[in-house]
């Protein structure tokens, strides 16, 4: 059996990004994907254009919509519009299209794709990882990347990621027409979703509709009730939405994302933003950083993969830890949060900068939290 450099479990956005960068540096890489054909992955699909910095090829061909305005509302009223300026606007993509595009880039760079390969066992013996599929096939690798999403069983198996897992409850759907939603405009609705928000993002000839609650609410979201309140303002009927509910892991900002020859990327690493639910930017970031760390490690320049966790904490985790603190205050006092966190004159610009990747939660958190706590304590 041939020993390869890296086996990547999952061929989604983060796994394909990792695979591309490794193969591009002539590493022997296999992506192990359980699905034989592209799976429709309904999600918001929003990401900062700054993700382009992690790829030598253009992503624009798969971008459905470039967002130049963000509209905020409180129970469909009291609307605020923020302009996205600068060189890093907000992009909307179809997740399945992004995944397929990145997977093709990885394969073209020399990455091997095995499908269907449904991983049922991962174990290490004498510094060699053995990955076994449901049908008994085996792959041996020097390192393993776990990239099989929020429902992955492997982080718990290898004691990686948060010890006490936190989840966002979400619903994502699509409507096959544009309705009243203006082109190049993303809508964020607060007040209708307990401990969260709803959104509407334009696609080429469709609209992405979703909602989420981000304080680890054990109860399911009353999806139909919220759709009945949210959609008429956009010119839609609830019956037009085709979608699904799911749970997303949320990173606490300081958990270990790697072990000895193994690391987590994307949703398997619990990288979802705990305030605005952004998941694609950290997924692509983690794929890039994972590949960089693995290349140094494979070439003997590092004795461990600890640099990966370190870089993710610096580049994403610190901001997410502050984002979690903002969410805990904002979503518990949403009306006050909307007045002080969205309607404040400088707030829309700050939120726009966060969405475009130009600013982190850490940059604004202390002022925002102090303001919210002072207001709620006197009201």
């Amino acid at each position: 059996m041939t020993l390869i450099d890296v086996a990547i479990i999952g061929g989604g956005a983060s796994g394909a990004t990792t695979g591309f960068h490794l193969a591009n540096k002539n590493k022997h890489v296999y992506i192990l994907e359980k699905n034989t054909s592209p799976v429709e992955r309904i999600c918001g699909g929003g990401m900062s254009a700054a993700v382009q910095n992690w790829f030598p090829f253009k992503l624009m061909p798969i971008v459905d919509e470039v967002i130049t305005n963000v509209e905020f509302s409180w129970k469909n009223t009291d609307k605020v519009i923020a302009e996205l300026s600068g060189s890093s606007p907000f992009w909307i993509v179809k997740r399945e299209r992004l995944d397929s595009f990145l997977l093709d880039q990885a394969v073209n760079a020399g990455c091997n794709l095995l499908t269907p390969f449904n991983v049922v066992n991962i174990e290490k013996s004498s510094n060699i990882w053995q990955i076994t599929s449901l049908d008994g096939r085996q792959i041996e690798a020097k390192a393993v990347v776990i990239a099989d999403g929020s429902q992955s069983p492997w982080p718990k198996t290898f004691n990686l990621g948060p010890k006490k897992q936190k989840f966002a409850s979400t619903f994502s759907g699509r409507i096959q027409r544009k309705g009243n939603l203006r082109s190049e405009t993303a809508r964020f609705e607060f007040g209708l979703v307990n401990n969260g928000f709803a959104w509407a993002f334009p696609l080429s000839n469709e609209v992405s509709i979703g909602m989420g609650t981000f304080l680890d609410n054990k109860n399911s979201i009353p999806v139909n009730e919220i759709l009945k309140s949210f959609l008429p303002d956009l010119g839609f009927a609830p019956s037009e939405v085709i979608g699904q509910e799911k749970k997303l892991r949320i990173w606490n900002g300081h958990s270990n994302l790697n072990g000895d020859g193994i690391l987590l990327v994307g949703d398997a690493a619990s990288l979802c933003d705990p305030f605005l639910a952004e998941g694609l930017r950290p997924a692509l970031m983690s794929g890039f950083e994972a590949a960089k760390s693995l290349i140094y490690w494979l070439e003997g320049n590092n004795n461990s993969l600890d640099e990966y966790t370190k870089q993710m904490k610096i580049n994403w985790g610190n901001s997410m830890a502050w984002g979690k603190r903002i969410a805990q205050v904002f979503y518990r006092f949403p009306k006050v949060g909307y007045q002080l966190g969205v309607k404040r004159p400088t707030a829309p610009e700050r939120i726009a900068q966060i969405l475009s990747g130009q600013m982190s939660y850490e940059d604004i958190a202390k002022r925002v939290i102090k303001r919210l706590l002072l207001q709620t304590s006197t009201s």
Side-chain angles (χ1 to χ4, degrees), residues 280-349:
L280 285 179
R281 179 159 57 115
L284 302 180
M285 177 196 300
S286 66
F288 174 81
E289 292 293 347
K292 186 166 65 173
S293 185
L294 281 163
I295 289 165
Y296 286 139
W297 182 76
L298 289 166
E299 294 178 351
N301 297 318
N302 282 340
N303 294 324
S304 75
L305 296 174
D306 293 349
E307 184 66 19
Y308 168 65
T309 294
K310 178 182 177 182
Q311 287 303 312
M312 287 305 297
K313 287 179 180 178
I314 294 171
N315 296 335
W316 189 251
N318 292 340
S319 180
M320 291 308 99
W322 283 109
K324 180 181 176 182
R325 293 185 179 101
I326 293 175
Q328 286 172 333
V329 179
F330 185 98
Y331 290 131
R332 286 200 172 97
F333 308 99
K335 182 63 176 176
V336 173
Y338 189 80
Q339 293 296 321
L340 296 178
V342 176
K343 291 206 69 183
R344 192 175 178 86
T346 58
E349 181 183 357

Side-chain angles (χ1 to χ4, degrees), residues 116-287:
F117 197 103
N118 190 357
V119 176
V120 294
N121 190 54
I122 303 174
E123 59 183 30
K124 192 176 187 183
S125 177
S126 301
N127 285 326
I128 301 299
W129 290 95
Q130 291 184 331
I131 303 97
T132 306
S133 71
L134 184 61
D135 59 13
R137 286 175 293 163
Q138 282 195 330
I139 296 292
E140 291 190 338
K142 298 174 186 175
V144 173
V145 176
I146 304 300
D148 55 346
S150 264
Q151 305 309 311
S152 175
W154 307 115
K156 184 176 181 180
T157 301
F158 296 104
N159 197 30
L160 299 175
K163 297 292 185 288
K164 185 177 181 182
Q165 192 62 65
K166 300 289 186 181
F167 288 90
S169 298
T170 67
F171 169 85
S172 296
R174 288 182 189 152
I175 296 177
Q176 305 297 314
R177 62 189 185 92
K178 298 295 281 284
N180 298 335
L181 187 65
R182 294 191 298 273
S183 295
E184 301 183 2
T185 300
R187 169 82 172 270
F188 288 88
E189 160 56 42
F190 297 96
L192 296 179
V193 181
N194 187 34
N195 292 328
F197 65 95
W199 68 81
F201 296 162
L203 295 164
S204 294
N205 297 300
E206 305 170 72
V207 171
S208 172
I209 298 291
M211 63 190 76
T213 178
F214 304 101
L215 296 184
D216 201 33
N217 192 332
K218 301 292 191 297
N219 301 318
S220 60
I221 305 174
V223 173
N224 292 331
E225 179 183 328
I226 294 167
L227 291 177
K228 287 178 182 177
S229 299
F230 182 44
L231 292 186
D233 190 58
L234 296 167
F236 300 121
S239 59
E240 295 183 76
V241 182
I242 299 173
Q244 61 186 13
E245 294 183 65
K246 62 180 180 180
K247 298 283 189 179
L248 286 177
R249 285 188 171 109
I250 298 177
W251 192 29
N252 57 17
H254 57 261
S255 299
N256 201 28
L257 300 181
N258 73 277
D260 185 13
I262 186 171
L263 46 77
L264 312 176
V265 296
D267 287 340
S270 309
L271 298 180
C272 178
D273 177 338
F275 185 62
L276 291 175
E278 186 181 10
L280 285 179
R281 179 159 57 115
L284 302 180
M285 177 196 300
S286 66

